[in-house]
Amino acid sequence: MRYNRWFTPWVLVVPALTWLLVFNLWPSINTVILSFTNAKPIGGGHFVGLKNFETLLHDEQLRWALLNSVIYMVVCLPFLTVLPLLLAVLVEKKLPGITFFRTAFYTPVVASAVVVALIWQWILDDRGLVNGLAEKLGVISGPLPFLSDQWLLLLSAISLTIWKGLGYYMIIYLAALGNVGRELHEAAAVDGAGPLRRFVHVTVPGVRGTMILISILISVSALRVFSELFILSGGKGGPGGRDNSVVMLIQQYSQGFEGNLGYASALSIVLFFVTVVPMLVLARLNRRGAEA
Amino acid sequence: MSTVTQERPAVREASGTPKRRKGSFGFNSVSPREKVARYVLLVFVLLITIGPFLWQLSTSLKGSGEDIYTRIPRLLPAQPTFDHYKEVTDTIPVWDYARNSLVVAFLVVGGNVIGASLAGFAISRLQFRGRKIVLGLFLATLVLPGEVTIISQYVTVREFGLANTLFGVALPGMIGALNVLLMYNAFRSLPVEVDQAAVVDGADAWQRFLYIGLPSVRGTISVIAIFAFIGAWDDFLWPLIVLTDPDKYTLTVGLQYLSGTFSNNPRLIAAGTMIAFIPIVIVFATLQRFFFKGVEEGAVKG
């Protein structure tokens, strides 16, 4: 049997294309359609016009969720753009045993967010490792409410996200560092530049493009946070539901008799616009940098 | 890119014990002082990254009579025991959850490896009308975070009658757009001349895919397989939305309930998390060689 017919390429493409249409493109359109209805998780529902969007405007929980998302992004950005680069430089040199260290640093990435959040829940418990040590050292007199205070809970989740993300971005930087010419480093070294100056003037400019890509990835994933906050807050979204993220709200409306897929879809549209902003800003930054 | 792929494997390779290349002097060599400083830093970061896992492991092994809240933390259990693992598996069907996770993970890995390599090959190596449009469609979905469409995806899966089934959990992720693009990228870096030579020899598209394309992109395929497995095994939000029946829970969803049930005994939660964590670590540790090789081939490069 010969496979050089005109339709051969299509035979190969069709499965992937079907998935793309059924599970990506159609759901994007359907999200918009659903957002004008009051569809229920168990089925049924009808057109309600702009009602969901009016509700959005007065939704106090959404306001908190958006504020949390912005804080999440702003705190994660500097830590996760810089620390993984330093790590990548640290593991770049092929010292004996370096493969072990690379693998170990990547472990938190491989673990499920649920698993690491449960681990941190125990570490940050009132009687857990952090509070125990801090009390022992006399830094604090009573346990800090890492998991029950609105802001401390948010901060705990952010720290968890940063800790879990280190290895992921380290690997991306590591791949990029390979592209920075060794000649540049050697030339700079010959000219008497120390490690620090070589880092600032050779390494950083060399991975600039990757850095912008990573900033986009960090921002978008910070705005999409779910598991960390969900588990650390015991699924409740913190005191008074003020530690919800947008995705947590979407999930809450997705089930039960109280659920409303229409409203959840309207929230999804909010999420889409929120995540598009950093992408546009940073993409623009990238273009301007390339022109300069 | 070419410099990386040519140099790196020469340095690592084989037994996995990295050796410095013969005849590399000067810049490449590390002074003893720098070496010590590097190892000190490496160990420091190691404590931060895997310390919490060790602490959890230790908690899960500490005997019921042992005080786990001591002011001075003890890493080594005084009365080591596997009792909590037994208790967790007796109270909660953890093995069923693990089996469910495994079923989903295998479906997702299989679907992605087959679907993405077929499509990636066609888009990069075969000429056909609409090729650019197809590529554009795959690219366009990248700006769309999965959470945005998760609700209507659920509606779609429900309409297929697959709500509350494991197949419904696996289905939407079985051919990821990103994986198609990664395969496209991998196939594209093959020299065109090889293809042309094969065409002259009378090879059809299918043969070129099987005997020329696939063998040269093994690195990328392993990265996709590893990521697909980890992604499916670790996923939480989607199975949480799709599954309502506790019998069908995957490990992550089951674990969340475990934490509610045993909130007064951290040893049991610790044992439960370790059951979910250890398999994925073993999978990754076994395959990390392929993973890092694939990374260097540029599979993860943006």
Side-chain angles (χ1 to χ4, degrees), chain B residues 152-199:
Chain B
S152 45
Q153 232 168 48
Y154 171 65
V155 172
T156 306
V157 166
R158 193 183 66 190
E159 270 157 22
F160 288 165
L162 294 171
N164 196 24
T165 65
L166 289 175
F167 192 57
V169 175
L171 192 68
M174 278 174 69
I175 308 180
L178 178 64
N179 293 332
V180 172
L181 290 170
L182 286 175
M183 289 312 299
Y184 161 79
N185 215 22
F187 281 120
R188 210 174 44 154
S189 57
L190 275 178
V192 189
E193 293 76 23
V194 182
D195 250 7
Q196 287 165 345
V199 173

Short mmCIF file of all heavy atoms in Angstrom, two decimals, chain B residues 152-199:
data_model
loop_
_atom_site.label_atom_id
_atom_site.label_comp_id
_atom_site.label_asym_id
_atom_site.label_seq_id
_atom_site.Cartn_x
_atom_site.Cartn_y
_atom_site.Cartn_z
N SER B 152 -16.23 24.78 29.93
CA SER B 152 -16.91 24.30 28.73
C SER B 152 -16.34 22.96 28.28
O SER B 152 -17.02 22.18 27.62
CB SER B 152 -16.86 25.33 27.60
OG SER B 152 -15.59 25.85 27.49
N GLN B 153 -15.08 22.69 28.66
CA GLN B 153 -14.54 21.37 28.39
C GLN B 153 -15.32 20.33 29.18
O GLN B 153 -15.61 19.24 28.68
CB GLN B 153 -13.08 21.33 28.82
CG GLN B 153 -12.17 20.83 27.74
CD GLN B 153 -10.73 21.08 28.09
OE1 GLN B 153 -10.29 20.79 29.19
NE2 GLN B 153 -9.98 21.60 27.14
N TYR B 154 -15.65 20.70 30.41
CA TYR B 154 -16.45 19.80 31.23
C TYR B 154 -17.82 19.56 30.58
O TYR B 154 -18.31 18.44 30.53
CB TYR B 154 -16.61 20.37 32.64
CG TYR B 154 -17.59 19.60 33.48
CD1 TYR B 154 -17.33 18.29 33.85
CD2 TYR B 154 -18.80 20.17 33.86
CE1 TYR B 154 -18.24 17.57 34.59
CE2 TYR B 154 -19.72 19.46 34.61
CZ TYR B 154 -19.44 18.16 34.97
OH TYR B 154 -20.33 17.44 35.69
N VAL B 155 -18.40 20.65 30.05
CA VAL B 155 -19.70 20.51 29.39
C VAL B 155 -19.59 19.57 28.19
O VAL B 155 -20.44 18.69 27.99
CB VAL B 155 -20.22 21.91 28.94
CG1 VAL B 155 -21.47 21.76 28.09
CG2 VAL B 155 -20.52 22.77 30.17
N THR B 156 -18.50 19.71 27.41
CA THR B 156 -18.29 18.82 26.27
C THR B 156 -18.17 17.37 26.72
O THR B 156 -18.85 16.48 26.18
CB THR B 156 -16.99 19.22 25.53
OG1 THR B 156 -17.06 20.60 25.20
CG2 THR B 156 -16.82 18.41 24.26
N VAL B 157 -17.34 17.13 27.72
CA VAL B 157 -17.14 15.77 28.21
C VAL B 157 -18.45 15.20 28.75
O VAL B 157 -18.78 14.03 28.56
CB VAL B 157 -16.03 15.76 29.30
CG1 VAL B 157 -16.03 14.47 30.08
CG2 VAL B 157 -14.67 16.00 28.67
N ARG B 158 -19.24 16.06 29.40
CA ARG B 158 -20.53 15.62 29.93
C ARG B 158 -21.47 15.22 28.80
O ARG B 158 -22.19 14.23 28.88
CB ARG B 158 -21.14 16.76 30.75
CG ARG B 158 -22.31 16.35 31.61
CD ARG B 158 -22.90 17.53 32.32
NE ARG B 158 -23.49 18.47 31.37
CZ ARG B 158 -23.92 19.70 31.70
NH1 ARG B 158 -23.79 20.14 32.92
NH2 ARG B 158 -24.46 20.48 30.79
N GLU B 159 -21.43 16.00 27.70
CA GLU B 159 -22.30 15.68 26.58
C GLU B 159 -21.91 14.37 25.91
O GLU B 159 -22.75 13.69 25.32
CB GLU B 159 -22.30 16.83 25.56
CG GLU B 159 -23.39 17.84 25.88
CD GLU B 159 -23.11 19.21 25.30
OE1 GLU B 159 -22.34 19.29 24.33
OE2 GLU B 159 -23.66 20.20 25.83
N PHE B 160 -20.63 14.01 26.00
CA PHE B 160 -20.20 12.71 25.47
C PHE B 160 -20.62 11.58 26.41
O PHE B 160 -20.31 10.42 26.16
CB PHE B 160 -18.68 12.66 25.30
CG PHE B 160 -18.16 13.49 24.16
CD1 PHE B 160 -16.81 13.81 24.07
CD2 PHE B 160 -19.01 13.94 23.15
CE1 PHE B 160 -16.33 14.58 23.02
CE2 PHE B 160 -18.52 14.69 22.10
CZ PHE B 160 -17.18 15.02 22.03
N GLY B 161 -21.22 11.93 27.53
CA GLY B 161 -21.59 10.92 28.52
C GLY B 161 -20.41 10.42 29.33
O GLY B 161 -20.43 9.32 29.87
N LEU B 162 -19.35 11.24 29.39
CA LEU B 162 -18.13 10.76 30.06
C LEU B 162 -17.86 11.47 31.38
O LEU B 162 -16.79 11.30 31.97
CB LEU B 162 -16.93 10.94 29.13
CG LEU B 162 -16.95 10.08 27.86
CD1 LEU B 162 -15.84 10.49 26.92
CD2 LEU B 162 -16.81 8.62 28.24
N ALA B 163 -18.83 12.27 31.85
CA ALA B 163 -18.64 12.88 33.16
C ALA B 163 -18.54 11.76 34.19
O ALA B 163 -19.17 10.72 34.04
CB ALA B 163 -19.82 13.79 33.49
N ASN B 164 -17.69 12.00 35.20
CA ASN B 164 -17.50 11.00 36.25
C ASN B 164 -16.95 9.66 35.75
O ASN B 164 -17.27 8.60 36.26
CB ASN B 164 -18.83 10.78 37.00
CG ASN B 164 -18.62 10.07 38.31
OD1 ASN B 164 -17.52 10.12 38.88
ND2 ASN B 164 -19.63 9.38 38.79
N THR B 165 -16.13 9.70 34.68
CA THR B 165 -15.42 8.48 34.26
C THR B 165 -13.94 8.81 34.12
O THR B 165 -13.57 9.96 33.88
CB THR B 165 -15.90 7.96 32.88
OG1 THR B 165 -15.57 8.95 31.90
CG2 THR B 165 -17.38 7.69 32.87
N LEU B 166 -13.11 7.79 34.26
CA LEU B 166 -11.67 8.00 34.12
C LEU B 166 -11.32 8.38 32.68
O LEU B 166 -10.41 9.18 32.43
CB LEU B 166 -10.90 6.74 34.52
CG LEU B 166 -10.91 6.41 36.00
CD1 LEU B 166 -10.22 5.09 36.25
CD2 LEU B 166 -10.23 7.53 36.79
N PHE B 167 -12.05 7.79 31.73
CA PHE B 167 -11.79 8.13 30.34
C PHE B 167 -12.07 9.61 30.09
O PHE B 167 -11.35 10.28 29.35
CB PHE B 167 -12.64 7.25 29.41
CG PHE B 167 -12.23 7.32 27.98
CD1 PHE B 167 -10.94 7.02 27.61
CD2 PHE B 167 -13.14 7.71 27.01
CE1 PHE B 167 -10.55 7.10 26.28
CE2 PHE B 167 -12.76 7.80 25.67
CZ PHE B 167 -11.46 7.49 25.31
N GLY B 168 -13.11 10.11 30.74
CA GLY B 168 -13.43 11.52 30.63
C GLY B 168 -12.31 12.40 31.19
O GLY B 168 -12.04 13.49 30.69
N VAL B 169 -11.63 11.91 32.24
CA VAL B 169 -10.51 12.67 32.81
C VAL B 169 -9.35 12.71 31.81
O VAL B 169 -8.72 13.74 31.60
CB VAL B 169 -10.03 12.04 34.14
CG1 VAL B 169 -8.80 12.74 34.66
CG2 VAL B 169 -11.13 12.08 35.17
N ALA B 170 -9.09 11.56 31.16
CA ALA B 170 -7.93 11.47 30.28
C ALA B 170 -8.17 12.16 28.93
O ALA B 170 -7.27 12.80 28.39
CB ALA B 170 -7.57 10.00 30.05
N LEU B 171 -9.39 12.02 28.41
CA LEU B 171 -9.67 12.39 27.02
C LEU B 171 -9.15 13.75 26.54
O LEU B 171 -8.38 13.79 25.58
CB LEU B 171 -11.18 12.26 26.77
CG LEU B 171 -11.60 12.32 25.30
CD1 LEU B 171 -11.10 11.09 24.56
CD2 LEU B 171 -13.12 12.41 25.20
N PRO B 172 -9.51 14.87 27.17
CA PRO B 172 -9.11 16.16 26.59
C PRO B 172 -7.60 16.34 26.51
O PRO B 172 -7.11 17.05 25.63
CB PRO B 172 -9.71 17.18 27.55
CG PRO B 172 -10.77 16.46 28.29
CD PRO B 172 -10.31 15.04 28.38
N GLY B 173 -6.86 15.69 27.40
CA GLY B 173 -5.41 15.88 27.41
C GLY B 173 -4.66 14.89 26.54
O GLY B 173 -3.43 14.87 26.55
N MET B 174 -5.39 14.06 25.78
CA MET B 174 -4.70 12.98 25.08
C MET B 174 -3.85 13.44 23.90
O MET B 174 -2.94 12.72 23.48
CB MET B 174 -5.68 11.89 24.68
CG MET B 174 -5.95 10.94 25.85
SD MET B 174 -7.20 9.72 25.53
CE MET B 174 -6.43 8.69 24.33
N ILE B 175 -4.18 14.59 23.32
CA ILE B 175 -3.25 15.16 22.31
C ILE B 175 -3.12 16.64 22.60
O ILE B 175 -3.99 17.44 22.28
CB ILE B 175 -3.75 14.95 20.86
CG1 ILE B 175 -4.08 13.48 20.60
CG2 ILE B 175 -2.65 15.40 19.88
CD1 ILE B 175 -4.56 13.21 19.18
N GLY B 176 -2.03 17.02 23.23
CA GLY B 176 -1.83 18.41 23.60
C GLY B 176 -1.25 19.22 22.45
O GLY B 176 -0.36 18.76 21.74
N ALA B 177 -1.76 20.44 22.27
CA ALA B 177 -1.28 21.29 21.18
C ALA B 177 0.21 21.59 21.34
O ALA B 177 0.97 21.57 20.37
CB ALA B 177 -2.08 22.59 21.16
N LEU B 178 0.63 21.81 22.59
CA LEU B 178 2.04 22.12 22.83
C LEU B 178 2.93 20.95 22.39
O LEU B 178 4.00 21.15 21.80
CB LEU B 178 2.26 22.42 24.31
CG LEU B 178 3.70 22.70 24.70
CD1 LEU B 178 4.20 23.97 24.02
CD2 LEU B 178 3.84 22.84 26.20
N ASN B 179 2.48 19.72 22.65
CA ASN B 179 3.27 18.56 22.27
C ASN B 179 3.38 18.43 20.76
O ASN B 179 4.42 18.03 20.24
CB ASN B 179 2.66 17.30 22.88
CG ASN B 179 2.78 17.29 24.38
OD1 ASN B 179 3.72 17.89 24.93
ND2 ASN B 179 1.86 16.64 25.05
N VAL B 180 2.29 18.75 20.06
CA VAL B 180 2.34 18.73 18.60
C VAL B 180 3.42 19.71 18.12
O VAL B 180 4.24 19.39 17.26
CB VAL B 180 0.96 19.11 18.00
CG1 VAL B 180 1.07 19.28 16.48
CG2 VAL B 180 -0.07 18.06 18.35
N LEU B 181 3.45 20.88 18.74
CA LEU B 181 4.44 21.89 18.33
C LEU B 181 5.86 21.44 18.68
O LEU B 181 6.80 21.68 17.90
CB LEU B 181 4.13 23.23 19.00
CG LEU B 181 2.86 23.90 18.46
CD1 LEU B 181 2.48 25.10 19.31
CD2 LEU B 181 3.05 24.34 17.01
N LEU B 182 6.03 20.79 19.82
CA LEU B 182 7.36 20.30 20.19
C LEU B 182 7.83 19.26 19.17
O LEU B 182 9.00 19.26 18.75
CB LEU B 182 7.34 19.69 21.59
CG LEU B 182 7.26 20.67 22.76
CD1 LEU B 182 7.13 19.92 24.08
CD2 LEU B 182 8.49 21.57 22.79
N MET B 183 6.93 18.39 18.75
CA MET B 183 7.31 17.37 17.77
C MET B 183 7.60 18.01 16.42
O MET B 183 8.52 17.64 15.71
CB MET B 183 6.19 16.33 17.61
CG MET B 183 6.00 15.39 18.78
SD MET B 183 7.50 14.64 19.42
CE MET B 183 8.08 13.74 18.02
N TYR B 184 6.79 19.01 16.06
CA TYR B 184 7.00 19.76 14.83
C TYR B 184 8.41 20.33 14.82
O TYR B 184 9.16 20.19 13.86
CB TYR B 184 5.95 20.87 14.74
CG TYR B 184 6.28 21.99 13.79
CD1 TYR B 184 6.09 21.84 12.42
CD2 TYR B 184 6.79 23.20 14.26
CE1 TYR B 184 6.38 22.87 11.54
CE2 TYR B 184 7.09 24.23 13.39
CZ TYR B 184 6.89 24.06 12.04
OH TYR B 184 7.20 25.07 11.18
N ASN B 185 8.77 20.93 15.94
CA ASN B 185 10.09 21.54 16.09
C ASN B 185 11.21 20.50 15.97
O ASN B 185 12.23 20.73 15.32
CB ASN B 185 10.15 22.21 17.45
CG ASN B 185 10.96 23.47 17.41
OD1 ASN B 185 11.14 24.04 16.34
ND2 ASN B 185 11.47 23.89 18.56
N ALA B 186 10.99 19.35 16.59
CA ALA B 186 12.01 18.30 16.59
C ALA B 186 12.22 17.74 15.19
O ALA B 186 13.36 17.59 14.72
CB ALA B 186 11.62 17.19 17.55
N PHE B 187 11.13 17.46 14.48
CA PHE B 187 11.23 16.91 13.13
C PHE B 187 11.86 17.92 12.17
O PHE B 187 12.55 17.57 11.24
CB PHE B 187 9.85 16.52 12.59
CG PHE B 187 9.35 15.21 13.13
CD1 PHE B 187 8.17 15.13 13.85
CD2 PHE B 187 10.06 14.04 12.89
CE1 PHE B 187 7.71 13.93 14.34
CE2 PHE B 187 9.61 12.82 13.38
CZ PHE B 187 8.43 12.77 14.11
N ARG B 188 11.59 19.19 12.43
CA ARG B 188 12.06 20.23 11.53
C ARG B 188 13.59 20.33 11.53
O ARG B 188 14.20 20.74 10.56
CB ARG B 188 11.45 21.57 11.91
CG ARG B 188 11.27 22.48 10.73
CD ARG B 188 10.53 23.70 11.14
NE ARG B 188 11.07 24.21 12.40
CZ ARG B 188 10.98 25.48 12.75
NH1 ARG B 188 10.40 26.33 11.96
NH2 ARG B 188 11.47 25.89 13.90
N SER B 189 14.20 19.96 12.67
CA SER B 189 15.65 20.13 12.74
C SER B 189 16.40 19.01 12.01
O SER B 189 17.62 19.02 11.94
CB SER B 189 16.08 20.20 14.21
OG SER B 189 15.67 19.06 14.88
N LEU B 190 15.66 18.05 11.45
CA LEU B 190 16.31 17.02 10.62
C LEU B 190 16.71 17.63 9.29
O LEU B 190 15.95 18.39 8.71
CB LEU B 190 15.30 15.90 10.32
CG LEU B 190 15.13 14.79 11.32
CD1 LEU B 190 14.05 13.85 10.81
CD2 LEU B 190 16.42 14.07 11.48
N PRO B 191 17.89 17.28 8.79
CA PRO B 191 18.27 17.82 7.47
C PRO B 191 17.32 17.35 6.38
O PRO B 191 16.93 16.18 6.34
CB PRO B 191 19.67 17.24 7.24
CG PRO B 191 20.09 16.61 8.50
CD PRO B 191 18.91 16.43 9.37
N VAL B 192 16.96 18.27 5.49
CA VAL B 192 16.01 17.94 4.41
C VAL B 192 16.63 16.91 3.46
O VAL B 192 15.92 16.09 2.88
CB VAL B 192 15.65 19.22 3.62
CG1 VAL B 192 14.52 18.93 2.64
CG2 VAL B 192 15.26 20.33 4.57
N GLU B 193 17.96 16.95 3.32
CA GLU B 193 18.63 16.07 2.36
C GLU B 193 18.34 14.60 2.67
O GLU B 193 18.19 13.78 1.75
CB GLU B 193 20.16 16.28 2.39
CG GLU B 193 20.60 17.64 1.88
CD GLU B 193 20.35 18.77 2.87
OE1 GLU B 193 20.25 18.49 4.09
OE2 GLU B 193 20.23 19.93 2.43
N VAL B 194 18.26 14.28 3.96
CA VAL B 194 18.00 12.89 4.34
C VAL B 194 16.65 12.46 3.77
O VAL B 194 16.50 11.38 3.19
CB VAL B 194 17.98 12.75 5.88
CG1 VAL B 194 17.76 11.30 6.27
CG2 VAL B 194 19.27 13.27 6.46
N ASP B 195 15.68 13.34 3.91
CA ASP B 195 14.34 13.08 3.39
C ASP B 195 14.37 12.89 1.88
O ASP B 195 13.79 11.96 1.34
CB ASP B 195 13.42 14.26 3.72
CG ASP B 195 12.40 13.87 4.77
OD1 ASP B 195 12.51 12.75 5.29
OD2 ASP B 195 11.50 14.68 5.05
N GLN B 196 15.07 13.82 1.23
CA GLN B 196 15.12 13.78 -0.24
C GLN B 196 15.76 12.49 -0.71
O GLN B 196 15.28 11.85 -1.65
CB GLN B 196 15.89 14.99 -0.77
CG GLN B 196 15.08 16.27 -0.65
CD GLN B 196 15.93 17.52 -0.82
OE1 GLN B 196 17.16 17.46 -0.75
NE2 GLN B 196 15.27 18.65 -1.03
N ALA B 197 16.82 12.09 -0.02
CA ALA B 197 17.49 10.84 -0.38
C ALA B 197 16.53 9.68 -0.25
O ALA B 197 16.46 8.79 -1.11
CB ALA B 197 18.70 10.62 0.51
N ALA B 198 15.72 9.70 0.82
CA ALA B 198 14.76 8.63 1.05
C ALA B 198 13.70 8.61 -0.04
O ALA B 198 13.28 7.54 -0.51
CB ALA B 198 14.11 8.78 2.42
N VAL B 199 13.28 9.80 -0.47
CA VAL B 199 12.27 9.89 -1.53
C VAL B 199 12.84 9.29 -2.82
O VAL B 199 12.18 8.52 -3.51
CB VAL B 199 11.84 11.35 -1.76
CG1 VAL B 199 10.91 11.45 -2.98
CG2 VAL B 199 11.14 11.89 -0.53
#
